[in-house]
Amino acid sequence: MSTDKLVDFDEVLTRYEPVIGLETHVELGTASKMFCGCSTTFGAEPNTQTCPVCLGLPGALPVANAAAIEATIRIGLALGCRIASWSRFSRKNYFYPDIPKGFQTTQYDEPFCTAGHLDVELDGETYRVEIERVHLEEDTGKNLHVGGSTGRIHGADHSLIDYNRAGIPLVEIVTRPIPGTGAKAPEVARAYVTELREIVKALGVSEVKMEEGNLRSDVNVSLAPIGSLEWGTRTETKNVNSLRSVERAVRFEMRRQAAVLDGDVRIVQETRHFHEDTGSTSPGRSKEEATDYRYFPEPDLVPISPDDEWVEKLAAALPELPAARRTRLSEEWGIAPTEMAWLVNAGAVELVSDTVAAGASPADARKWWLGELARRANDAGVELAQLAVTPTQVAELVGLVAAGTINDQLARQALDGVLAGEGNPAQVVEARGLAVLGESDELVAAVDAAIEGNPDIAEKVRGGKVQAIGALVGAVMKTTRGKADAATVKRMLEERLQR
């Protein structure tokens, strides 16, 4: 649990101006690693997808993955970047267990893509995020610290290393500092990563599953007194792996840094760890003095010069990008840009689109994803897409309601079963006996019982106070545990009370 002093978020904004920046890492979905032929399949037994090249054994020589280079350039083109006519890899030297070679093969001063931008919309306002660079490198291995209570190296009994991930192609997208976001800084950070994820997904170059580490962000935050001509000292919260956590990390750091500055103490430039359970950050390592990585050109790889004609073909073949697709869908679904923005903020555009494709109307798809399902995701503290229900199942649920098999109340109960893994909606409805009661003997008996049990209300209805019939409808619905159709019940009651 964090012991940091925190300032109320609204109070932070009365004295300080935030500047944010993001370094987002995307694991590419290539079949093989960046510089060798080892598989990149997720979830294999530890250290079963390694070879002399990705382990850095003497005499092993790398060969660059052409598919990874193409994917990087496509990302750069989608972000409006300038594509370098000449690029090369370098060695970034540092010694840590997750780097078996003792250096990382990356791009330093001559990346493939520079000077791009990404516009994100939030509450009707557009924020331009400038992209400093998009470069290609290899991922590191994965450390597992055993023992202790935090999963960190401090307090652990021992550490294990899985090198399956070492050498997987990794694209890093680095923004320039983003000033001027004010109170919206946490939301802008989240919106940017959300939009970036959608672009990468549309390009088909990564699965961008944050829970599997396909996409993770380093979140930079600094505060400066309002009116100051200089930006504050930044901290870098490493490897934040969910959209919600990106927003929470920015918000926490703003509140923490404000408390430090209010105490007339300077901010330490450092990396920090994000804690999902508390939404807090804790110190990692100091970055106050520049680390000498001793970059130098990778001698075992030749420079790469993308052909202009090839780059033009890649640009021409880009798919419809998310912003353009949202504009088209807004027109097809007949919704305003503000409602589309709600879908974007909820991470529901693809979910609604897939639900419509599965047979639901746009209105019904939006109703369920932005209503009942959004509530459940919020209660569980997860993203909408992490709920254990598919767009096809939501479309099936909508179809059962439209057919009169169930009503909305029963549909919510059926959804309980789907989320609990009991099967598809139709299977849950049958297994739980949730189907709406027709004009059966059971319903007739419930209607008669409501009239007999509420003679005063029945007499008011007979006397012309037709609105009083709602209480009788409610009594029937309670008796049938919501399994009756309210319109049918109302009609049956009217017929009996008119006799």
Side-chain angles (χ1 to χ4, degrees):
M1 182 176 179
S2 173
T3 58
D4 289 300
K5 292 182 179 179
L6 302 176
V7 172
D8 181 78
F9 185 77
D10 291 334
E11 187 181 343
V12 173
L13 300 163
T14 64
R15 298 192 295 278
Y16 300 104
E17 177 69 27
V19 175
I20 57 175
L22 295 116
E23 303 167 25
T24 304
H25 301 80
V26 178
E27 274 191 1
L28 298 179
T30 54
S32 59
K33 293 186 180 182
M34 185 62 226
F35 300 112
C36 65
C38 288
S39 172
T40 59
T41 302
F42 181 80
E45 287 295 315
N47 297 308
T48 58
Q49 296 177 172
T50 58
C51 73
V53 174
C54 57
L55 290 177
L57 300 183
L61 293 175
V63 177
N65 187 326
I69 294 171
E70 178 177 316
T72 305
I73 292 175
R74 292 180 70 214
I75 292 173
L77 290 168
L79 295 173
C81 290
R82 181 170 62 246
I83 307 303
S85 58
W86 194 89
S87 182
R88 65 182 175 182
F89 289 97
S90 296
R91 290 187 179 186
K92 178 182 180 181
N93 295 273
Y94 67 94
F95 298 95
Y96 201 67
D98 62 1
I99 290 285
K101 299 185 298 186
F103 63 87
Q104 180 187 36
T105 304
T106 182
Q107 293 189 297
Y108 175 47
D109 55 344
E110 294 165 302
F112 284 119
C113 318
T114 56
H117 70 272
L118 178 58
D119 290 335
V120 295
E121 293 187 12
L122 194 62
D123 298 333
E125 190 170 356
T126 299
Y127 295 86
R128 171 154 292 192
V129 179
E130 296 187 355
I131 307 297
E132 177 73 32
R133 56 191 281 138
V134 179
H135 68 257
L136 181 59
E137 59 191 20
E138 59 181 339
D139 209 345
T140 61
K142 183 177 181 180
N143 296 311
L144 177 64
H145 305 299
V146 183
S149 59
T150 65
R152 306 290 182 187
I153 192 169
H154 299 293
D157 297 326
H158 61 279
S159 298
L160 302 173
I161 307 172
D162 179 6
Y163 286 125
N164 282 350
R165 197 175 69 182
I168 287 181
L170 190 69
V171 169
E172 183 172 356
I173 301 145
V174 182
T175 74
R176 292 176 180 168
I178 311 166
T181 55
K184 296 291 186 182
E187 297 166 82
V188 170
R190 175 175 180 157
Y192 163 76
V193 178
T194 300
E195 185 72 1
L196 184 60
R197 184 184 67 170
E198 293 305 308
I199 288 174
V200 173
K201 186 176 180 180
L203 294 173
V205 298
S206 173
E207 293 183 341
V208 288
K209 294 180 179 178
M210 299 187 79
E211 68 276 11
E212 293 184 5
N214 295 150
L215 186 147
R216 50 195 190 269
S217 288
D218 298 340
V219 180
N220 294 274
V221 179
S222 69
L223 293 181
I226 291 177
S228 173
L229 298 179
E230 295 183 2
W231 291 338
T233 301
R234 66 182 175 89
T235 61
E236 181 182 1
T237 304
K238 302 289 288 186
N239 295 323
V240 182
N241 63 358
S242 79
L243 300 175
R244 179 169 176 262
S245 295
V246 167
E247 180 176 344
R248 294 170 75 202
V250 174
R251 190 177 299 275
F252 181 87
E253 272 301 288
M254 287 175 63
R255 297 179 64 196
R256 185 192 68 82
Q257 290 185 25
V260 173
L261 294 171
D262 284 352
D264 203 24
V265 179
R266 67 186 184 88
I267 299 296
V268 175
Q269 185 170 337
E270 62 186 355
T271 63
R272 296 183 68 86
H273 301 298
F274 182 76
H275 302 280
E276 294 281 351
D277 54 345
T278 61
S280 62
T281 68
S282 61
R285 60 183 176 86
S286 173
K287 296 189 72 174
E288 294 212 75
E289 294 184 9
T291 302
D292 182 11
Y293 290 118
R294 294 176 291 113
Y295 285 99
F296 63 87
E298 169 58 70
D300 293 330
L301 290 168
V302 297
I304 297 169
S305 181
D307 179 77
D308 289 344
E309 185 177 350
W310 177 60
V311 172
E312 290 173 4
K313 287 182 179 179
L314 292 179
L318 288 177
E320 182 182 38
L321 295 177
R325 184 167 182 263
R326 289 196 297 271
T327 299
R328 175 175 60 80
L329 290 176
S330 293
E331 295 174 356
E332 291 179 1
W333 295 346
I335 63 175
T338 51
E339 189 168 354
M340 180 58 77
W342 296 340
L343 291 172
V344 172
N345 293 339
V349 176
E350 288 300 320
L351 296 169
V352 169
S353 178
D354 290 346
T355 304
V356 171
S361 71
D364 282 333
R366 297 197 308 277
K367 166 189 165 182
W368 280 95
W369 284 110
L370 286 181
E372 184 65 20
L373 289 164
R375 181 186 66 78
R376 291 173 185 248
N378 185 62
D379 290 346
V382 299
E383 306 292 340
L384 265 179
Q386 292 177 282
L387 290 175
V389 61
T390 67
T392 299
Q393 290 171 327
V394 174
E396 182 180 329
L397 194 71
V398 168
L400 291 172
V401 174
T405 305
I406 54 176
N407 54 32
D408 277 1
Q409 181 178 342
L410 294 172
R412 286 189 283 273
Q413 295 179 46
L415 185 59
D416 290 335
V418 173
L419 292 170
E422 296 174 16
N424 291 330
Q427 295 170 320
V428 174
V429 168
E430 182 177 359
R432 292 193 175 194
L434 297 177
V436 167
L437 290 173
E439 291 190 46
S440 60
D441 292 342
E442 182 183 351
L443 184 56
V444 170
V447 169
D448 290 341
I451 294 173
E452 293 171 6
N454 299 276
D456 293 344
I457 297 176
E459 196 57 38
K460 287 181 181 179
V461 176
R462 290 190 182 102
K465 294 184 178 181
V466 294
Q467 67 271 21
I469 202 170
L472 297 178
V473 173
V476 175
M477 297 301 289
K478 182 178 180 180
T479 299
T480 61
R481 300 184 304 280
K483 292 170 62 176
D485 176 66
T488 300
V489 171
K490 184 173 181 289
R491 177 177 55 76
M492 293 174 67
L493 285 165
E494 289 172 342
E495 290 174 353
R496 279 160 173 73
L497 292 170
Q498 289 172 0
R499 293 174 183 172

